Amino acid sequence: MTVTDNPDRHRFELDVDGQTVFADYRRRDGVLAITHVEAPPALRGTGAAGRLMEGVMQIARAENVKVAPLCSYAAAWLRRHRDYADRVV
């Protein structure tokens, strides 16, 4: 499963069995602000949102941008995954 950037909708997406987990974002001055993460009800509790965040952070690292986790889920996920602390504003 691959996380893809959908710049027209300002979100990252992960397709899981035909359903889309997504993270809305805003980009500004080298910072990627994650404003909302959502998984369809059938995928909640399956780790799908975590896989999405992993992909988002890999993209952020590859693009050498910082991440501002404005969404509570993104912030909590990043607190549990300290290996991405160098990317967090």
Side-chain angles (χ1 to χ4, degrees):
M1 289 185 250
T2 303
V3 172
T4 57
D5 186 0
N6 183 338
D8 292 337
R9 296 187 77 180
H10 304 282
R11 70 186 201 177
F12 292 102
E13 300 174 337
L14 175 65
D15 180 74
V16 179
D17 299 327
Q19 298 185 70
T20 303
V21 184
F22 65 90
D24 291 328
Y25 67 79
R26 291 188 313 253
R27 291 181 184 264
R28 184 173 177 185
D29 300 326
V31 175
L32 179 64
I34 304 298
T35 59
H36 180 72
V37 175
E38 186 172 324
L43 294 178
R44 293 179 188 161
T46 67
R51 290 190 300 278
L52 170 74
M53 283 300 300
E54 179 79 28
V56 167
M57 295 310 296
Q58 289 174 0
I59 290 167
R61 188 166 276 157
E63 293 180 359
N64 196 31
V65 296
K66 295 287 187 175
V67 173
L70 304 181
C71 163
S72 60
Y73 177 82
W77 189 91
L78 284 163
R79 280 193 299 275
R80 291 190 310 272
H81 295 86
R82 301 301 303 159
D83 47 324
Y84 290 108
D86 65 311
R87 294 286 99 206
V88 179
V89 203

